[in-house]
Amino acid sequence: MQNLPSLFNRSARRWLLHTQAWLLPSRCLLCDAPGTGMLDMCRACETTLPWSLAACPRCAMPVPAGDGGTPCGDCSRRRGILESTLATFVYQWPVDTLLRRFKFDGDLAAGRMLAQMMACRFAPASVGNPVLVPVPLHDNRLRGRGYDQAAELARPLASVLGLECRAILRRRIATAAQSSLDAVARRRNVWGAFQCVAPVPAHLVLVDDVMTTGATLQSAAQALRQAGARQVGAWVCARAP
Ligand SMILES: [Zn+2]
Ligand SMILES: [Zn+2]
């Protein structure tokens, strides 16, 4: 049975959210026009969103319209560790701007909105109830930033989709920023960087903000597989083309 304080907290939180929506109508985070319903984005900006419509089912690389559902050339040649990867967006304007603001400028409202959009996109893939596992930052970077962007996306995503979110990975090596490296150096940079710090569920999905070459996700998936995970997929907010 739930105790009174937790019931109170939940109804108080709901009341606060409703009051906030009434007192502070949503505004577009890109142009400041009135938002659409509860979303902090106007209809005009919404039409510019680069949804990932046709993509490789294993690595989420955008492919020509009509080719979606068929593995891309790379994935047909070699089987990766990830069973499947889904991206909500292609990493293009204005999602790249929103993600940079979320990641580097402390704009948590941008993160919340992106998580809402990810939830709409990933709802059909949530059958089977995978456990969501955010790809963690190293403790040093977490201390500097004050929050972990993958966890900030994974938690609301899990809550909206009724899934469990478990932070069972730890980044044990403070790796160099991936953005400064080429593809081969990225793989070398993050290989062996993760370890599991709690029991691993059989079916899970890694959650991250951006996928570029996939080296970080592959390394995290490798650690989870070694710890006993049977099925590891990935959901990312945006995939770099
Ligand atoms: Zn707008
Ligand atoms: Zn592929």
Side-chain angles (χ1 to χ4, degrees), residues 126-159:
S126 65
V127 286
N129 296 320
V131 173
L132 302 191
V133 177
V135 175
L137 290 176
H138 188 267
D139 286 350
N140 292 351
R141 202 163 292 166
L142 177 60
R143 269 192 294 274
R145 191 169 295 169
Y147 59 95
D148 187 320
Q149 71 272 4
E152 293 295 323
L153 293 174
R155 274 196 299 262
L157 196 53
S159 147

Side-chain angles (χ1 to χ4, degrees), residues 56 58-59 72 75:
C56 167
R58 296 210 192 125
C59 72
C72 69
C75 292

Side-chain angles (χ1 to χ4, degrees), residues 59-77:
C59 72
M61 179 59 91
V63 294
D67 287 357
T70 313
C72 69
D74 275 356
C75 292
S76 333
R77 278 189 293 278

Side-chain angles (χ1 to χ4, degrees), residues 180-196:
S180 58
L181 306 170
D182 65 22
V184 176
R186 277 171 186 248
R187 266 202 299 280
R188 216 175 289 138
N189 187 37
V190 290
W191 206 245
F194 296 94
Q195 74 177 137
C196 298

Side-chain angles (χ1 to χ4, degrees), residues 28 30-33 41-42 44-45:
C28 179
L30 290 165
C31 72
D32 209 35
M41 183 165 279
C42 72
C45 288

